[in-house]
Amino acid sequence: MIFIKLILAHLLGDFTLQPNSWVADKEHNKLKSKFLYFHVLIHTILSFIFLWDLQLWWVAVLVGFTHFIIDAAKLSFQNVKTKKRWFFIDQLLHVLVIAGVSFYFQEFSFNFLQNQEFLKIIMAALFLTTPASIFIKLLLSSWTPAPDGPNNIQTESLSSAGKYIGILERLLVFTFIMVNHWEGVGFMVAAKSVFRFSDLAQAKQRKLTEYVLIGTLLSFGLAVLTGIIIK
């Protein structure tokens, strides 16, 4: 399958066979870096090797050329603040090029969009991200603990960490239910209890503990209920 072969070539070329020193040189010298051209050449050669078909030489050249265009755009426009964003944009564009080649060879089709079961799963997964976070936040709004003050213990936390932890846990619980591995749900509950509630016990704030417990049960409950409904 062309898609898998090109993805393998991409993973090898972009990560395994690209030293950090090359990345640093490219970011410093941008289009003047010789390693940018070495990198593109390696991608082209790897694509050709994995395809191993002389009639598909143009596919390897296309992958190499588009890789250069995408990498050049990333190096030209990214800065310290947008570096992480451009990394994901860069990877997405590379995968889209490979997917486009695969679609040209009719390896993919859009028939899955007509599959009602698939659409229900996608709908449920989307609901368990931001929409579910908003529902839980609204349900907990009347019990939100007071901000840290002189009599409260300061608790340091990463920006928006709770939101993303909640999204990931709901998606994992939903996945476990869809593949009929309910024991995974129990593992998730136990793991979060160990890491989360041990910290809360040290803080000795009963209201905060109850608030987090209600939020956790709502989060897991929504994921379980959504999984049961979809199944």
Side-chain angles (χ1 to χ4, degrees):
M1 189 175 183
I2 290 176
F3 180 80
I4 295 176
K5 292 177 180 178
L6 292 179
I7 287 292
L8 285 172
H10 173 74
L11 293 175
L12 278 174
D14 238 24
F15 300 100
T16 308
L17 299 180
Q18 182 175 208
N20 291 332
S21 58
W22 287 24
V23 176
D25 188 86
K26 289 193 301 179
E27 291 178 349
H28 182 264
N29 296 312
K30 301 187 184 302
L31 299 184
K32 294 181 181 179
S33 173
K34 62 181 179 181
F35 296 112
L36 171 61
Y37 303 94
F38 289 164
H39 177 64
V40 171
L41 180 61
I42 287 174
H43 268 282
T44 305
I45 293 173
L46 284 173
S47 298
F48 184 78
I49 291 174
F50 274 93
L51 291 172
W52 204 249
D53 187 340
L54 285 175
Q55 294 183 344
L56 298 178
W57 65 267
W58 62 272
V59 174
V61 173
L62 176 65
V63 169
F65 177 74
T66 54
H67 201 97
F68 171 76
I69 296 298
I70 294 169
D71 277 19
K74 181 184 74 170
L75 293 172
S76 299
F77 296 113
Q78 76 175 6
N79 53 46
V80 176
K81 292 183 178 180
T82 62
K83 183 176 179 179
K84 181 171 67 174
R85 184 191 312 161
W86 270 104
F87 170 80
F88 290 108
I89 293 173
D90 171 82
Q91 293 301 315
L92 176 62
L93 291 175
H94 290 317
V95 172
L96 286 177
V97 168
I98 294 173
V101 172
S102 301
F103 183 75
Y104 174 81
F105 285 99
Q106 298 182 341
E107 290 187 338
F108 292 136
S109 68
F110 293 105
N111 292 336
F112 64 92
L113 293 176
Q114 307 300 321
N115 188 320
Q116 295 300 314
E117 293 300 317
F118 175 81
L119 292 177
K120 284 196 296 184
I121 292 173
I122 294 299
M123 176 192 67
L126 287 175
F127 167 73
L128 291 173
T129 56
T130 304
S133 296
I134 294 173
F135 276 105
I136 293 170
K137 184 177 180 180
L138 289 173
L139 289 170
L140 293 174
S141 59
S142 58
W143 297 312
T144 303
D148 292 329
N151 299 323
N152 292 329
I153 295 175
Q154 293 284 340
T155 55
E156 294 183 359
S157 178
L158 298 175
S159 177
S160 301
K163 172 185 175 181
Y164 294 114
I165 290 172
I167 290 173
L168 289 173
E169 75 185 16
R170 287 191 295 275
L171 290 176
L172 285 171
V173 168
F174 178 69
T175 301
F176 285 136
I177 293 173
M178 295 308 296
V179 297
N180 288 317
H181 281 286
W182 284 83
E183 66 275 14
V185 179
F187 171 79
M188 289 288 299
V189 174
K192 185 164 185 180
S193 299
V194 170
F195 289 108
R196 185 62 162 160
F197 295 110
S198 61
D199 291 339
L200 291 170
Q202 292 176 8
K204 298 180 180 179
Q205 294 187 32
R206 182 166 182 172
K207 289 183 179 180
L208 180 60
T209 303
E210 291 173 344
Y211 174 81
V212 173
L213 179 59
I214 293 172
T216 297
L217 292 175
L218 281 173
S219 183
F220 278 96
L222 268 178
V224 170
L225 182 61
T226 304
I228 291 173
I229 292 173
I230 295 301
K231 292 210 67 165

